[in-house]
């Protein structure tokens, strides 16, 4: 399986690691350490040294309860970093929902639009919508994610019941709608949106039954890194839930379990540790079915 993106036809025969680059001062997961362009680009270089196959750069927080930023503010954060990051010779994804930002970063040569709103945003003042922008850039890759509600309210009223079929239906319909508009299937990846309007149990059901999400044949991208569902199941003996910065072990475990269940791209903060964990998983997979013992 491959994922066609603006400049790269990404080979997904091995799970790909997407390193997260947050340019938001209020990031839940890294405390907004990288929001100036110099630090952000240094961080990009470090993630690539650590083994990231691609980078996901974002200028608006999507954490539960977050407000949002203006187009101007998001452009100001994202453009200086994307302009330089496209020189790194790896796929550059931009995490944005705003058509204006999509258009600007694609014009700079970005490879992938990662949209937690699944390209549902209309244009402002009669401008192009998210789908118009993607159609106007006929080579870019897109990741469409499932979200229930919106970031400001999604955890107040999460989904009801068995979410797996509902998430699958939404993702299939979104991907089909894009294809009806002329976006090739090979350009589309889908994502169940871990933590976006789902309970802890529902998030884990999406991992336990992840194989159901593979059935339509799109590459599956997942993001568990440092999320609250990792914290929720890993309280210490005193009942203290680890903060985002102390969810490394659980995040790596979730990434490996997701890869083992067929995720083709894992979106992570902790690239080096995830690379190592996937190397161990691969070594085991290479021996599966063999009668020899690992020595
Ligand atoms: C931007 N962002 C935050 N969490 C995410 C997730 O789980 N998937 C994708 N595609 N993007 C995310």
């Amino acid at each position: 399986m491959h994922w066609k993106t603006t400049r790269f036809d990404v080979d997904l025969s091995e799970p790909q690691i997407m390193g997260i680059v947050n340019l938001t001062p209020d990031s839940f997961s890294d405390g907004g350490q990288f929001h100036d362009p110099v630090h952000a680009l240094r961080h990009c270089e470090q993630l690539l040294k650590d083994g990231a196959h691609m980078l996901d750069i974002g200028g608006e927080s999507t954490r539960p309860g977050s407000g949002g930023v203006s187009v101007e503010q998001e452009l100001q954060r994202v453009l200086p970093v994307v302009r330089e990051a496209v020189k790194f010779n790896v796929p550059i994804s931009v995490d944005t929902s705003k058509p204006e930002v999509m258009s600007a970063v694609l014009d700079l040569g970005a490879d992938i639009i990662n949209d937690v709103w699944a390209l549902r945003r209309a244009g402002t003042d009669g401008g192009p919508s998210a789908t118009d922008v993607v159609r106007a850039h006929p080579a870019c890759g897109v990741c469409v994610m499932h979200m229930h509600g919106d970031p400001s309210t999604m955890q107040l009223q999460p989904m009801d019941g068995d979410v797996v079929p509902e998430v699958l239906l939404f993702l299939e319909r979104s991907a089909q709608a894009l294809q009806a508009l002329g976006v090739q299937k090979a350009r589309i990846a889908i994502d169940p949106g871990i933590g976006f309007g789902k309970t802890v149990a529902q998030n884990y059901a999406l991992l336990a039954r992840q194989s159901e999400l593979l059935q339509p044949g799109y590459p599956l991208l997942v993001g568990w890194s440092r999320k609250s569902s990792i914290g929720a199941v890993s309280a210490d003996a005193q009942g203290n839930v680890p903060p985002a910065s102390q969810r490394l072990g659980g995040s790596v475990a979730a990434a490996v379990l997701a890869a083992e269940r067929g995720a083709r791209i894992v979106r992570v903060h902790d690239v080096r540790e995830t690379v190592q964990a996937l190397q161990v998983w691969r070594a085991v997979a290479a021996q599966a079915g063999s009668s020899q013992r690992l020595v």
Side-chain angles (χ1 to χ4, degrees):
M1 183 180 261
H2 284 72
W3 187 13
K4 272 190 200 294
T5 73
T6 305
R7 298 170 299 163
F8 301 89
D9 193 10
V10 184
D11 181 355
L12 302 175
S13 50
E14 293 290 343
Q16 300 290 291
I17 296 185
M18 176 182 259
I20 300 172
V21 183
N22 274 322
L23 307 178
T24 52
D26 58 341
S27 162
F28 83 100
S29 50
D30 50 31
Q33 300 170 66
F34 310 117
H35 70 278
D36 78 87
V38 173
H39 282 98
L41 285 163
R42 256 191 236 142
H43 185 53
C44 291
E45 285 172 338
Q46 186 61 50
L47 294 177
L48 295 175
K49 267 193 208 138
D50 289 344
H53 301 101
M54 59 183 79
L55 300 174
D56 188 41
I57 297 171
E60 179 177 49
S61 177
T62 53
R63 78 191 157 126
S66 62
V69 295
S70 67
V71 172
E72 293 67 32
Q73 205 171 5
E74 195 175 329
L75 285 170
Q76 213 173 30
R77 288 179 185 171
V78 162
L79 292 188
V81 179
V82 172
R83 190 174 287 117
E84 294 305 312
V86 291
K87 300 175 186 165
F88 290 140
N89 202 32
V90 295
I92 298 300
S93 164
V94 179
D95 146 28
T96 185
S97 302
K98 297 190 180 71
E100 297 85 347
V101 177
M102 292 178 187
S103 185
V105 298
L106 290 170
D107 287 346
L108 286 180
D111 299 285
I112 296 162
I113 296 298
N114 170 30
D115 185 2
V116 300
W117 280 94
L119 303 175
R120 283 180 283 161
R121 286 274 172 88
T124 38
D125 302 329
S129 66
T131 50
D132 293 335
V133 173
V134 162
R135 287 169 68 202
H137 292 81
C140 71
V142 294
C143 175
V144 291
M145 198 196 80
H146 176 272
M147 171 165 57
H148 173 74
D150 67 75
S152 64
T153 58
M154 63 192 178
Q155 290 316 118
L156 304 176
Q157 284 177 311
M159 297 173 79
D160 275 332
D162 182 2
V163 297
V164 180
E166 193 175 330
V167 168
L168 176 60
L169 186 64
F170 171 85
L171 293 173
E172 263 189 303
R173 285 197 177 146
S174 305
Q176 280 163 3
L178 279 179
Q179 286 172 75
L181 291 171
V183 178
Q184 277 174 288
K185 183 171 183 181
R187 296 171 55 194
I188 304 171
I190 60 172
D191 183 330
I194 299 305
F196 285 81
K198 290 122 189 154
T199 64
V200 173
Q202 288 167 342
N203 288 319
Y204 284 102
L206 285 162
L207 180 51
R209 290 163 57 201
Q210 195 181 266
S211 61
E212 294 174 44
L213 306 177
L214 306 178
Q215 168 259 319
Y218 300 94
L220 192 75
L221 189 157
V222 291
W224 278 87
S225 190
R226 301 186 187 175
K227 287 196 176 159
S228 60
S229 285
I230 303 284
V233 298
S234 48
D236 67 15
Q238 286 71 46
N240 302 310
V241 171
S245 61
Q246 289 167 34
R247 297 176 187 160
L248 172 61
S251 300
V252 169
V256 172
L257 290 165
E260 189 168 57
R261 287 161 167 75
R264 300 298 173 119
I265 306 117
V266 288
R267 182 179 181 275
V268 305
H269 298 87
D270 302 291
V271 168
R272 190 156 35 96
E273 294 81 357
T274 308
V275 166
Q276 191 178 71
L278 289 175
Q279 284 165 334
V280 170
W281 165 67
R282 223 174 274 122
V284 174
Q287 295 298 323
S290 150
S291 58
Q292 284 178 337
R293 287 180 156 206
L294 278 172
V295 283

